[in-house]
Amino acid sequence: MALTISCIFNRLVLVIIVSAVIHRPGELSVKEKDAQFTTDRRMIMYVEKDNGSYQPIETGSYMIQNYFDDFLEKKDHLQKSYAEKLRKAEISPIEYYRVLLNMGVSDLAGRVGISTRKVRKHLLPEAFTSIPVKLLQRYAEVFRIPLANLFQLIENREEKVIQQLSTQNPLLVTTKIGGKESERNDIPA
Amino acid sequence: MNETTFQHKLAAHCESGVVTSLLNHSGVDLSEAMVFGVSGAIFFAYLNNPMMPFPTIALRNQPGKIYKNFSKFSKVPFQSNHYRNVEQARQGLDHLLEQNKPVAVQVDFFYMDYVPEYIRAHFNGHFVIVVGKENGHYIISDAYTPVLTKLAESTLHTARFAKGPFKPKGFILYRNAVTPEVHWEKAITRGIKYACFNMLSIPIPFLGARGIRYFAKKLPGWPKLARDEEHLSDEIMMINVLLEERGTGGGGFRFMYAAFLQEVAGRLNKPALNEIAEQMMINGDAWRLISIFAGKIGRNRQLDDAHLRELAAMIEKRADVEKQLFTDLKKIIR
């Protein structure tokens, strides 16, 4: 009996939440006036205009306007927890970057050009040490990081400008710390 | 350089936006909704395969199908080419740009340096239009950016030859020929029939209207697949992103499809399509409520079984509605 009352109560709460979502003015809805968001990221949404026609309008992102802080917080937690696993040698750097870039194992294998089985092996720290440098280079290209970053974590606590510039030597990267934001080279290493 | 004559426009979706822009540039006045509808791109799929780190949904058919189907159904010719290597692809693109032709290219979205880093992800099914070249950079018209933008030459070519699923192989798409007289009624009918077939008749449980039901069935099992609560929250909120933000025009393409149906009701002289358009808009609004609800429970970490089942019930209702909607549409268009 108590369980049934609890279930009914839960459903009631949910109905109230959904109703609030439906009727809250200024929330995302099919009407043009309710689909105006002011984020930097612009996008096209189809809405119902006052004259009843369905037309595209330019607007901003509902998600960024409402949940961007939550997104960044989760991303930060994920990076920190996987960096910690990396420091404790529980995972390999391949797994670290794979998770941060939200890639499937098969997708990564296809992009690097090796079997899924091999990639699974490379996710473990003990197998990482036996990966040939040429193959590590291919992983680094897919992750779009300098090869050196598979062997180091860079913590920028003072929020200085850090540039990693490629050199003619494909194995070597020059890391510049400091300088001005305006001097940043846009082309990644 | 033809970036001065090319009219860059934001679009709801990259591929339909690219096709629309190429058509508009060559003198064919057509809306993005028409391109989307004629190509029969509306769809639903619940995808869970080793390529993906987590199950996901697709709300349109596979990348590359919009221009192919549009051209096939409308008989409007497009020129396209794949290349074996970067050098050939570079020469092919530059040669067309010298002739002042805007050229659509297929790329890996991860290399689009002009979009914020937090939305970049490896996805080989992105389309942009290259409209010019200067000082080692290509001038890019991307449907997701409000103005023309630039991309380093080497970066674009890397993006054109990314490996993995849907690899672009240097794909280009452009228009040469004068557009023949188009029998739009025929093209629209074929596009709608194609969409109805995809939504109703593919005998695979995770595709079409069946796929929506399959999604609803699988959703309560997501906690077992997630690393932790934050991961689950992220994936639940991704439902919102996929429905509203990732180039759908809102409501998982359903609003754009409603705009298409409203537009063609007059052309086909079938007022009943206006009724379906209205129902499609209501359907899109229901998808929007699903995305808002997913955003809220994800943010508030209300990821218990009861909330997930509530979300699943909302989704399952869409399966019934879409099955009915596309059945009615099929009857009208027959």
Side-chain angles (χ1 to χ4, degrees), chain A residues 112 131-147 150 169-172:
Chain A
V112 177
I131 305 175
V133 173
K134 272 202 166 174
L135 187 52
L136 285 177
Q137 258 182 303
R138 277 174 18 217
Y139 273 117
E141 279 165 21
V142 172
F143 298 140
R144 239 184 148 198
I145 53 166
L147 176 63
L150 287 174
N169 181 347
L171 300 180
L172 193 81

Side-chain angles (χ1 to χ4, degrees), chain A residues 44, chain B residues 12-13 59 242-254 256:
Chain A
I44 293 291
Chain B
H13 183 64
L59 296 133
L242 292 168
L243 283 168
E244 302 295 329
E245 311 260 325
R246 213 168 260 184
T248 69
F253 290 106
R254 272 56 186 165
M256 189 162 31

Side-chain angles (χ1 to χ4, degrees), chain A residues 41-86:
Chain A
R41 191 174 164 229
R42 307 305 290 164
M43 53 201 283
I44 293 291
M45 282 242 185
Y46 279 74
V47 293
E48 186 180 345
K49 297 252 180 183
D50 289 343
N51 63 6
S53 67
Y54 308 147
Q55 299 289 335
I57 57 156
E58 186 184 323
T59 182
S61 161
Y62 169 81
M63 281 302 265
I64 292 177
Q65 187 156 311
N66 292 286
Y67 300 127
F68 195 51
D69 54 342
D70 184 54
F71 169 79
L72 291 181
E73 194 182 300
K74 281 187 283 194
K75 210 175 160 180
D76 185 50
H77 288 169
L78 182 69
Q79 191 274 329
K80 282 181 179 150
S81 76
Y82 270 73
E84 196 52 34
K85 285 183 184 189
L86 194 54

Side-chain angles (χ1 to χ4, degrees), chain B residues 263-277:
Chain B
E263 198 174 335
V264 301
R267 276 191 196 242
L268 297 185
N269 196 22
K270 287 185 191 290
L273 284 177
N274 275 320
E275 172 66 21
I276 300 286

